[in-house]
Amino acid sequence: MRVASDAADAETLLAAVPADQRVAVVDARFVGHVHALRLGLTDPRFDAAAIPGAVTVRPAARPALDRALRTAAGDASNGSVVVGIVADRVAELLDTELHRPELGELVAEVPRDPQARNEARQAVAAVDDEAIRLRTAVKSRDGFFTTYCISPYSRYLARWCARRGLTPNQVTTASLFTALIAAGCAATGTRAGFVTAGLLLLFSFVLDCTDGQLARYSLQYSTLGAWLDATFDRAKEYAYYAGLALGAARGGDDVWALALGAMVLQTCRHVVDFSFNEANHDATANTSPTAALSGRLDSVGWTVWVRRMIVLPIGERWAMIAVLTAVTTPRITFYALLIGCAFAATYTTAGRVLRSLTRKARRTDRAARALADLADSGAIAQALARLLKKLPAKPPFGARVLVALSGAVILVAAACLEPYGSWLPVLAAVLYTLTSAAAVALPLKGALDWLVPPLFRTAEYVTVLVLAAKADVNGALPAAFGLVGAVAYHHYDTVYRIRGNAGAPPNWLVRAIGGHEGRTLLVTVLAALLAATDFKVALTALAVAVALVVLVESIRFWVTAHKLGAPAVHDEGEPA
């Protein structure tokens, strides 16, 4: 800490601070809550932030701070401006994006006389900033189960962790290990194992809520932490599905198809969410009668909770899975999960389609680029798309969803209707490759073009599921589960990179794992050429190869981005 007499002195002192360090200018007369200073000066997500009487910048905004201090010093020296509160004047002069946190009841002032100082101190004493800090550690928008059954006590667990120096990443990792142990207990196939698994899954969810609350409580946000939190959520849930399937198999019940179906349905639900949000988050004229109706319903308290619960968010979903695991069988658990998720997917997708049709939004180039990245087109589709662009007749924007839909339907229908070993699914996969290339040949800016990536995901995943089930050999469905899990990880990773403004995975990675059309074509050819037992081995090898490539590159990217000081992000992700 250094004391400066004016803006010129502050500029001199800051020049001595290494350029790679974060700095702050705080008025010595500042009166306010400690947590107000935390919010203004320690949040790592923003390059520049300010509250009354204080301003801070990260290394990227240091030049802007230097220019602002120089201007403030000049204003004071020539008498054109009387600089009474240097920090506030500097914040006004910063020529960079400036974050001003919402303080609410928290006090942050620079009193100009003894009476104002006394009043400010009384205002500070009247408000418990620790209570506010605990309250704001909880998401402002959350599910019913989390809001009333988890957050009332998990916020105190978050504070306990903060006071002992634990980080959100450590809590996130503990949640993952707890869920993996729960999956192992479910895999025992015993009633005691199922009961223990249900309890551990709930405790894993408590820790899952705690890590985010700890990040908000202690303002410990990071690029790596956001990725870990989002990725581990999916890993925990899908590992638990596998544990339930293994446990059922020990009891003589094969539910691998149901487990894989649940993973496919849940993943495709998420892709619908991601695609819709990416297509519309920066669209202009982005309003519709449907959205207006939703806003009016939000003003009626009970409808808010009903609408949040019927989409079966992660809190309600995991609670249902945990209870059903403990008191019923894996088959019943998966039936309930599939029915609930299917209803939720129908409800959310129908609402978003209706919003898209009634909106007059204009999509941006960034949104079109994000949708193209989410499409995950490989070398074959990219090459065909370049050829189609050269054709004189191009499909209208609205037709491309129908093109993608027709290819997906034909592919899945051929896989379902033909016996294992038929070449008809291969021909359908060739047609699917052509239609998928046509769908992405032009920028995805149509009203319903956000449906293209979910259609590709559904076609690929369901084809793998059906062909593995048709093989009817022990181990084929678990191998398909592993393959879909590896590919789904790649698709989730793509989303989290886009959300973190880190760009999509490199094109060489997409090409190396084939793209969605390449993998689909390969799987159908393998099913036509190989005997069922050999097909199982091929699926296993493909799953291992894809998993190794995407995991190594993903981990390298996120760890490197974290070490290089990438801007901290905090993605609230799926409502708990």
Side-chain angles (χ1 to χ4, degrees), residues 150 153-154 157 161 168 170-179 200-214 229 233 236 318:
I150 303 296
Y153 57 88
S154 62
L157 178 58
C161 292
Q170 290 171 332
V171 178
T172 301
T173 304
S175 176
L176 173 66
F177 282 126
T178 303
L200 287 175
L201 186 65
L202 285 177
F203 182 60
S204 174
F205 182 66
V206 172
L207 293 176
D208 184 53
C209 294
T210 301
D211 64 2
Q213 291 166 358
L214 174 58
D229 186 39
D233 278 353
K236 289 180 287 188
W318 282 26

Side-chain angles (χ1 to χ4, degrees), residues 58-421:
R58 286 164 48 91
R62 285 283 297 273
L65 177 63
D66 293 339
R67 290 191 296 270
L69 283 169
R70 196 172 303 116
T71 302
D75 291 344
S77 63
N78 62 30
S80 61
V81 176
V82 177
V83 182
I85 303 175
V86 173
D88 288 354
R89 177 60 178 158
V90 168
E92 292 175 3
L93 294 170
L94 278 176
D95 54 356
T96 187
E97 186 174 351
L98 184 67
H99 172 67
R100 292 187 181 273
E102 178 61 47
L103 299 181
E105 301 173 69
L106 295 174
V107 176
E109 298 180 13
V110 180
R112 293 179 179 271
D113 55 63
Q115 180 179 351
R117 175 174 295 274
N118 183 56
E119 291 174 353
R121 286 174 173 171
Q122 290 178 357
V124 170
V127 176
D128 184 354
D129 69 336
E130 179 61 19
I132 293 175
R133 189 182 181 191
L134 273 173
R135 186 174 71 245
T136 55
V138 178
K139 284 182 184 179
S140 58
R141 177 184 172 85
D142 227 330
F144 180 87
F145 177 77
T146 307
T147 299
Y148 292 104
C149 300
I150 303 296
S151 293
Y153 57 88
S154 62
R155 70 185 74 182
Y156 295 101
L157 178 58
R159 182 172 66 180
W160 183 89
C161 292
R163 291 178 175 176
R164 282 153 184 81
L166 296 177
T167 67
N169 291 352
Q170 290 171 332
V171 178
T172 301
T173 304
S175 176
L176 173 66
F177 282 126
T178 303
L180 293 179
I181 294 172
C185 292
T188 63
T190 64
R191 179 51 52 193
F194 287 147
V195 171
T196 304
L199 292 173
L200 287 175
L201 186 65
L202 285 177
F203 182 60
S204 174
F205 182 66
V206 172
L207 293 176
D208 184 53
C209 294
T210 301
D211 64 2
Q213 291 166 358
L214 174 58
R216 287 182 286 271
Y217 180 85
S218 57
L219 299 176
Q220 296 184 71
Y221 303 117
S222 70
T223 301
L224 180 64
W227 171 69
L228 288 176
D229 186 39
T231 302
F232 284 2
D233 278 353
R234 305 286 76 80
K236 289 180 287 188
E237 185 167 2
Y238 299 155
Y240 192 82
Y241 292 174
L244 281 177
L246 289 170
R250 286 180 175 272
D253 189 12
D254 186 356
V255 297
W256 274 107
L258 297 177
L260 180 51
M263 182 167 67
V264 168
L265 179 57
Q266 190 58 36
T267 302
C268 291
R269 275 189 65 195
H270 287 148
V271 176
V272 168
D273 295 342
F274 299 148
S275 295
F276 180 81
N277 290 336
E278 288 302 324
N280 291 284
H281 90 282
D282 60 353
T284 57
N286 201 16
T287 59
S288 73
T290 308
L293 175 61
S294 176
R296 288 195 295 272
L297 288 175
D298 283 344
S299 64
V300 183
W302 65 271
T303 66
V304 174
W305 293 117
V306 171
R307 291 164 62 221
R308 290 186 191 178
M309 292 173 67
I310 61 177
V311 299
L312 208 62
I314 188 172
E316 278 74 1
R317 190 168 69 248
W318 282 26
M320 180 186 74
I321 293 171
V323 171
L324 291 177
T325 298
V327 301
T328 64
T329 65
R331 180 172 290 273
I332 293 175
T333 301
F334 280 124
Y335 280 152
L337 183 62
L338 286 166
I339 292 170
C341 287
F343 176 81
T346 302
Y347 170 80
T348 55
T349 304
R352 285 167 179 170
V353 168
L354 185 59
R355 287 190 184 195
S356 298
L357 292 175
T358 55
R359 275 175 175 159
K360 301 299 181 182
R362 292 184 295 275
R363 268 73 184 191
T364 63
D365 291 338
R366 181 216 172 271
R369 179 71 259 168
L371 291 179
D373 292 333
L374 290 174
D376 192 36
S377 300
I380 301 174
Q382 290 177 18
L384 290 173
R386 285 194 294 269
L387 291 175
L388 291 172
K389 286 180 182 179
K390 298 177 181 179
L391 295 178
K394 295 179 174 61
F397 285 125
R400 284 175 303 155
V401 174
L402 297 178
V403 170
L405 177 63
S406 62
V409 170
I410 292 172
L411 173 64
V412 172
C416 291
L417 297 177
E418 288 296 301
Y420 177 81

